[in-house]
Amino acid sequence: MYYKKVNIIQDTKIFKELNAIMNASDDGIFVTDGQGCVIYLNKACERIDNVKAEYVIGKNMKDLIASGYYSESVALKVLEKGSVVNILQTTINGKEIMATGTPIKEN
């Protein structure tokens, strides 16, 4: 099988399609980089976590925990362990949610 390497940020069509797919999910999708900085969250995550993407994107999870947006971070735990992690975390609105973090590593 052949896969074309694409710079997703530069390919607007693919970016729009992937964004539409992610936003069609009823599950919250929250993505951080390898340092724990938020790079994406979908609309369901905004609703579930009661946060706006514009506020959290670009912020580090350590700072969001310190400011009370989350009780803990599954992303930071994944970065520590290097494997799949499941936790119960509390959001800023007091809602307790099951969060699963999965590491995605470049080949």
Side-chain angles (χ1 to χ4, degrees):
M1 195 172 269
Y2 173 77
Y3 291 96
K4 177 181 166 191
K5 284 191 170 186
V6 176
N7 183 338
I8 196 163
I9 300 302
Q10 292 178 350
D11 192 323
T12 305
K13 181 179 180 199
I14 290 175
F15 177 78
K16 286 181 180 179
E17 289 173 358
L18 286 174
N19 194 45
I21 292 166
M22 301 280 263
N23 278 320
S25 175
D26 288 330
D27 293 323
I29 300 172
F30 195 106
V31 182
T32 68
D33 65 14
Q35 287 73 49
C37 290
V38 181
I39 58 174
Y40 179 83
L41 64 148
N42 69 349
K43 298 291 183 191
C45 193
E46 285 184 301
R47 177 182 43 79
I48 294 165
D49 295 0
N50 196 35
V51 297
K52 292 289 182 193
E54 297 82 27
Y55 178 77
V56 297
I57 290 177
K59 295 209 169 56
N60 191 281
M61 287 307 301
K62 291 177 184 175
D63 297 328
L64 292 170
I65 291 168
S67 60
Y69 276 83
Y70 298 96
S71 60
E72 57 184 319
S73 167
V74 72
L76 294 178
K77 292 185 180 299
V78 166
L79 290 171
E80 289 171 16
K81 289 184 72 175
S83 61
V84 175
V85 176
N86 294 297
I87 64 169
L88 284 175
Q89 70 181 33
T90 305
T91 64
I92 194 165
N93 61 354
K95 186 185 293 185
E96 192 172 66
I97 58 172
M98 171 63 78
T100 300
T102 305
I104 308 231
K105 301 174 184 175
E106 292 184 33
N107 294 335

